[in-house]
Amino acid sequence: MLKFSVHKISHISIGLFLLIASCKNSEKEPAPETQNQIKAVEENGTREMISDIEQRLAGMNVESVPYIFNKRKAEILERRLGTARGNERLNMLLSYGLELLNAGRTEESINVLNEMLQIVENLEVQSKDELLYFIKKQLAIAYMRKAEQENCIANHTEESCIIPISPKAQHVMEEGARKSISMLDELLALNPKDLESQYLLNIAHMTLGQYPEQVPEQFRIPESYFSGSSPFPRFTDIAMPLGVDVNLKSGGTCVDDFNGDGYLDIIASSWGFEDQIRYFENDGKGGFKDRTIDAGLDGVTGGLNLRHADFDNDGNLDFIILRGAWLSTFGSFPNSLMRNNGDGTFTDVTRSSGIYSLNPTQTAVWADVNLDGWLDLFIANEWSQAKQSYCELFLNNGDGTFTDLAKEAGINIPGYFKGIASGDVNNDRYPDFYLSDYDGLNTLYINTTNETGKPSFKIAEKSAGVAKPKLSFPTWFFDYNNDGFDDIFVSGYSSSEVLPSEMILRNIKSGVSEYRPMLYKNNGDNTFTEISMEVNLTEPVATMGCNFGDLDNDGFLDFYLATGDPSFFSIVPNKMYRNANGESFQDVTYSGGFGHIQKGHAIGFGDMDRDGDQDIYTVMGGAVEGDVFRNLLFENPMGNENNWINIVLEGKKSNRSAIGAKIIITIEENGMERKIFNTVDSGASFGGNSLMAEIGLGKAKSIRKLEIKWPHSSMPVSVFKDIPVNQNLKISEGGELQKLSIPEFSFRTSAQRHAHHGS
């Protein structure tokens, strides 16, 4: 008798953990190299690393690796189907249909799934009704994906896939959405409680302009859910005319000034091992130039996340590419430390710097743990029984090399870490670390270097109260209420049992707030209070990438959460929250045009056109090869409704990037004095903000006092008074204010702009 494991099949596209649990690690760390070998590798480090990765890829059994290699897996199944017979062929046919969908061969997937449906309808098999339901559900999402490919991707506009879907973004080619609706109607007639199908039905009707009228009331998302979004100016995606709309899978980004001309550039990655990293230089005249090849990055691939800083204090921003995330033993790929040579090129110095290792990871943070003026690197790896990858804390030796001293420093907790953030919870200037563990409780490490005289950490007392949520993902430190103490944000995620679309509807219909983000308010005594519900963070958001900034320059930090769950059913909106005076957060997702339902990942805030407000770059695309989407660049339309200051800090005794520096601004607004607190860093654990301090000043007409607490063990402080607003400044440690003349520009988004580089 033909038997199917429907539960197992239904999680083919997301069931990573069961698959990898039985794998054994056969990788060994490379033997130490002689100094001569290191020098030889450094001279051609980029080519060496490309070759290293290619060789590792060539030796992989692609059928065993979760998520990736979808096209090759589909080809293998296709060949086997040619000779398979009977029950073997039927089981293989279903896997083939799903893999075709993962590979982006959607029409073929639909044909195979329809064939499978007809076969099963004429068979007497165990759990036949359950299997038919599953196949129809896969057909429903396959038709919806066809609709997205034909309309949102092939006929892309700046409003594509942003809900509630505008008339401009409604589907011109209607077949996919109509067939999806027909299949969803069948499914909901059989199981009216299927929340995933309910959610998708609303989206499908939106694409045809039929929401809300043609969505049955019992399945309808209330219009008030969208209209209740707090008023906010609407942002516009301008990535496509600017040529920065990379059309690949999920990945990372760094938004910063990599060539030293004062304008913010963009680096974007995609996690596929064959996906080219991209480097776009801001031309300062309204556009970007693709400098990928000129920069020596041709052939540099992969990386779910990027993190940037000036690790060698030469005045040029470097970055690290993080590889192997989610793949356990199959993730034994090296990260890449890319040194900025200062001449427009980058070189891979992973081996020569001493940070070469073979651990799956997507999260790292730069921080000067001992405040010696050199940035250190904390890489939080994904530990599992199959691949026991502990965290690495690479101490910067000040000569271009690093030494891993994680265990000696007390960093020894294993975890499936999806986020690592650095902050200063006790205001001693020494950076503390918060680790977000997808599989367990989170950990706060307190820096005790000042007490012990050497890099060292201790786990915070249980009374700190920051261990939840389980199934957490990205995280960051920021001072959300401007009280002078770093608070902790950590976002929840979803599970294989409850996917994001179901989470959203459970929240809308019943107020269920499981999987919500958590905001830990720093009490100033090494304890925190979890206040998400009190500040209106009540909705679950399956966050992957995210970041924070000050959209309206009121001096309070807002944030954007990007939803990137791998399932095709998880076409749920990215979410934007505005900080209302440090008292609560307002959901401005739909009024501001931020509710994009394609997969969102790393986010970078930065004032790219130098007009005083922050724009937002977002890396889009999902986990599998067929789930690609164009990256976004939201232009901030707010202008100078409020005042602002942009400050570039240059460390001397402190690290050159001034990462960890605390900026305290005192202003008078509406007759009242208040302070604004800002820390120099790149933001969230899965994002890449500019290291330029871009600070909103509200209605203040001048800055009464500007204080900088530099990140060095000698505890230097700089103080300046009576500073005009709305200008760009550079401040060197121990030096005076320097006004930067960096003209603002308008983005060139007209149809006359030259054709952009494809992806």
Side-chain angles (χ1 to χ4, degrees):
M1 179 177 290
L2 176 63
K3 293 185 179 181
F4 294 87
S5 175
V6 175
H7 176 76
K8 182 177 180 181
I9 295 171
S10 67
H11 290 89
I12 284 177
S13 61
I14 62 172
L16 167 65
F17 303 108
L18 291 176
L19 175 62
I20 65 176
S22 61
C23 301
K24 294 183 178 180
N25 176 27
S26 60
E27 294 284 357
K28 294 183 179 179
E29 301 300 319
E33 295 159 304
T34 65
Q35 290 299 314
N36 288 338
Q37 287 174 317
I38 291 174
K39 183 177 180 181
V41 168
E42 181 168 358
E43 290 175 352
N44 195 24
T46 306
R47 296 299 112 190
E48 292 280 350
M49 185 61 76
I50 291 171
S51 177
D52 184 325
I53 291 171
E54 288 176 345
Q55 290 177 28
R56 293 180 182 279
L57 285 173
M60 295 183 79
N61 177 3
V62 299
E63 291 182 87
S64 302
V65 185
Y67 287 120
I68 55 179
F69 303 127
N70 311 107
K71 293 175 183 176
R72 291 167 65 182
K73 289 175 184 175
E75 290 168 357
I76 291 169
L77 287 168
E78 188 172 9
R79 288 196 297 270
R80 289 179 180 165
L81 276 168
T83 57
R85 298 291 183 270
N87 292 351
E88 180 188 11
R89 184 178 187 278
L90 292 179
N91 280 287
M92 195 181 299
L93 192 64
L94 184 54
S95 296
Y96 178 53
L98 296 176
E99 202 62 71
L100 286 170
L101 184 61
N102 289 339
R105 294 165 60 182
T106 307
E107 289 276 11
E108 294 169 84
S109 173
I110 290 170
N111 291 337
V112 170
L113 291 172
N114 272 316
E115 179 185 351
M116 190 72 191
L117 188 64
Q118 292 174 6
I119 292 171
V120 175
E121 284 176 339
N122 294 317
L123 288 176
E124 291 300 325
V125 295
Q126 186 177 355
S127 303
K128 177 177 177 178
D129 291 343
E130 184 182 359
L131 181 56
L132 286 172
Y133 191 90
F134 171 73
I135 296 172
K136 289 178 180 180
K137 196 166 180 178
Q138 303 313 305
L139 271 169
I141 195 61
Y143 282 124
M144 196 64 215
R145 187 57 187 163
K146 167 184 165 71
E148 292 169 334
Q149 289 174 320
E150 291 177 342
N151 294 275
C152 306
I153 298 176
N155 295 299
H156 184 75
T157 77
E158 71 276 9
E159 297 181 22
S160 292
C161 286
I162 296 174
I163 61 170
I165 293 173
S166 70
K168 185 175 181 179
Q170 288 172 8
H171 291 187
V172 175
M173 301 180 71
E174 298 183 351
E175 180 190 18
R178 290 193 180 279
K179 288 190 173 181
S180 183
I181 289 169
S182 177
M183 197 64 68
L184 291 165
D185 286 339
E186 280 190 48
L187 293 167
L188 289 168
L190 293 168
N191 181 12
K193 295 183 179 181
D194 184 341
L195 294 181
E196 290 174 23
S197 294
Q198 286 186 28
Y199 177 82
L200 189 61
L201 183 68
N202 281 268
I203 301 300
H205 276 294
M206 277 187 199
T207 67
L208 301 179
Q210 298 172 353
Y211 169 89
E213 293 81 8
Q214 294 192 36
V215 181
E217 187 173 355
Q218 70 267 35
F219 304 140
R220 188 183 305 159
I221 297 175
E223 288 179 273
S224 58
Y225 176 72
F226 304 107
S227 60
S229 187
S230 298
F232 205 70
R234 192 169 183 87
F235 283 53
T236 301
D237 171 29
I238 58 171
M240 189 171 182
L242 293 180
V244 296
D245 57 327
V246 180
N247 190 25
L248 286 172
K249 300 186 288 296
S250 54
T253 191
C254 302
V255 173
D256 219 313
D257 180 10
F258 286 92
N259 63 350
D261 66 354
Y263 293 98
L264 302 183
D265 312 304
I266 297 170
I267 298 178
S269 71
S270 179
W271 87 312
F273 290 111
E274 297 174 349
D275 293 339
Q276 172 68 53
I277 200 166
R278 301 291 288 277
Y279 171 46
F280 301 102
E281 273 188 3
N282 189 327
D283 65 12
K285 300 175 182 178
F288 290 84
K289 297 178 180 178
D290 189 337
R291 296 293 194 191
T292 304
I293 295 176
D294 297 339
L297 296 173
D298 187 27
V300 177
T301 60
L304 188 54
N305 199 4
L306 309 173
R307 307 294 281 161
H308 67 287
D310 180 3
F311 81 86
D312 53 3
N313 286 343
D314 66 353
N316 304 306
L317 288 174
D318 318 294
F319 67 97
I320 185 170
I321 306 169
L322 301 166
R323 298 191 178 97
W326 297 111
L327 301 182
S328 188
T329 54
F330 303 109
S332 296
F333 281 80
N335 303 317
S336 282
L337 179 58
M338 306 302 298
R339 183 185 64 200
N340 187 334
N341 300 315
D343 60 0
T345 67
F346 296 85
T347 299
D348 192 314
V349 294
T350 309
R351 286 184 179 273
S352 61
S353 68
I355 72 162
Y356 185 100
S357 64
L358 299 171
N359 297 305
T361 184
Q362 73 168 70
T363 189
V365 68
W366 296 97
D368 185 356
V369 300
N370 56 355
L371 298 186
D372 66 347
W374 296 90
L375 285 172
D376 312 302
L377 178 63
F378 191 129
I379 301 178
N381 294 309
E382 296 175 359
W383 190 97
S384 65
Q385 286 293 340
K387 176 66 173 170
Q388 298 184 12
S389 299
Y390 287 87
C391 293
E392 298 159 303
L393 177 59
F394 289 106
L395 191 74
N396 195 325
N397 299 320
D399 60 0
T401 68
F402 294 81
T403 301
D404 182 11
L405 44 67
K407 291 183 179 179
E408 296 91 321
I411 306 292
N412 52 21
I413 295 292
Y416 202 86
F417 295 120
K418 302 307 293 183
I420 170 70
S422 173
D424 180 9
V425 303
N426 52 13
N427 283 338
D428 65 355
R429 297 201 212 179
Y430 285 85
D432 311 303
F433 294 116
Y434 185 74
L435 282 161
S436 172
D437 185 351
Y438 184 85
D439 277 350
L441 296 175
N442 302 329
T443 301
L444 175 61
Y445 277 109
I446 302 297
N447 193 324
T448 56
T449 301
N450 198 31
E451 301 170 16
T452 63
K454 61 181 180 179
S456 60
F457 293 83
K458 66 178 181 182
I459 296 175
E461 299 291 335
K462 189 175 181 180
S463 59
V466 295
K468 295 181 179 180
K470 287 189 175 180
L471 296 175
S472 63
F473 209 108
T475 184
W476 68 70
F477 285 86
F478 69 164
D479 187 353
Y480 86 94
N481 58 354
N482 281 326
D483 67 352
F485 290 95
D486 279 351
D487 311 298
I488 300 173
F489 178 93
V490 56
S491 199
Y493 192 57
S494 57
S495 70
S496 58
E497 289 76 33
V498 183
L499 291 180
S501 53
E502 182 175 347
M503 284 166 34
I504 286 180
L505 283 188
R506 286 170 60 186
N507 178 260
I508 293 172
K509 292 174 179 288
S510 308
V512 176
S513 57
E514 290 179 308
Y515 305 102
R516 71 181 184 278
M518 291 195 172
L519 177 60
Y520 290 105
K521 179 182 178 181
N522 192 330
N523 298 322
D525 59 1
N526 291 324
T527 69
F528 294 77
T529 301
E530 204 285 296
I531 59 166
S532 57
M533 298 295 283
E534 293 96 299
V535 297
N536 196 39
L537 299 178
T538 61
E539 184 177 6
V541 186
T543 314
M544 277 207 173
C546 53
N547 228 321
F548 59 88
D550 187 357
L551 295 180
D552 52 5
N553 282 335
D554 65 350
F556 292 95
L557 294 170
D558 318 302
F559 60 85
Y560 193 34
L561 306 180
T563 55
D565 182 272
S567 170
F568 279 111
F569 281 92
S570 298
I571 47 175
V572 295
N574 297 343
K575 300 287 289 186
M576 180 69 81
Y577 291 92
R578 175 185 177 268
N579 189 333
N581 301 315
E583 298 169 356
S584 67
F585 288 89
Q586 300 170 343
D587 187 339
V588 297
T589 300
Y590 305 111
S591 56
F594 300 110
H596 210 292
I597 57 173
Q598 290 297 322
K599 309 301 170 55
H601 288 82
I603 291 172
F605 283 69
D607 182 6
M608 297 188 196
D609 52 1
R610 285 296 199 168
D611 64 350
D613 55 23
Q614 290 185 303
D615 312 295
I616 306 166
Y617 189 75
T618 303
V619 175
M620 304 296 287
V624 296
E625 290 174 349
D627 199 2
V628 300
F629 203 80
R630 297 182 183 277
N631 292 356
L632 313 173
L633 174 54
F634 284 116
E635 180 180 11
N636 192 323
M638 303 197 71
N640 298 333
E641 292 181 10
N642 285 320
N643 295 318
W644 53 275
I645 194 85
N646 288 341
I647 305 172
V648 176
L649 294 186
E650 181 182 66
K652 295 297 185 180
K653 289 190 294 184
S654 304
N655 71 85
R656 184 75 173 261
S657 300
I659 287 176
K662 299 181 180 182
I663 301 173
I664 306 168
I665 289 178
T666 304
I667 62 171
E668 181 181 317
E669 186 182 40
N670 300 321
M672 301 287 290
E673 183 176 284
R674 73 174 173 109
K675 294 182 184 293
I676 299 169
F677 294 83
N678 186 287
T679 300
V680 175
D681 63 20
S682 58
S685 60
F686 197 175
N689 283 355
S690 163
L691 295 175
M692 176 173 65
E694 304 170 22
I695 304 172
L697 303 173
K699 300 300 182 184
K701 296 181 179 178
S702 67
I703 296 174
R704 281 189 173 184
K705 182 181 177 182
L706 170 62
E707 182 178 4
I708 303 167
K709 295 183 177 181
W710 296 89
H712 191 267
S713 58
S714 61
M715 303 294 159
V717 177
S718 301
V719 179
F720 306 93
K721 295 184 177 180
D722 300 323
I723 302 166
V725 299
N726 299 341
Q727 61 173 332
N728 298 290
L729 298 176
K730 181 177 180 179
I731 304 174
S732 295
E733 185 177 356
E736 298 299 316
L737 297 177
Q738 177 186 351
K739 183 174 181 178
L740 298 176
S741 178
I742 306 175
E744 68 174 273
F745 61 77
S746 296
F747 287 113
R748 294 198 306 270
T749 59
S750 69
Q752 286 74 36
R753 177 170 163 75
H754 61 78
H756 69 274
H757 297 277
S759 56

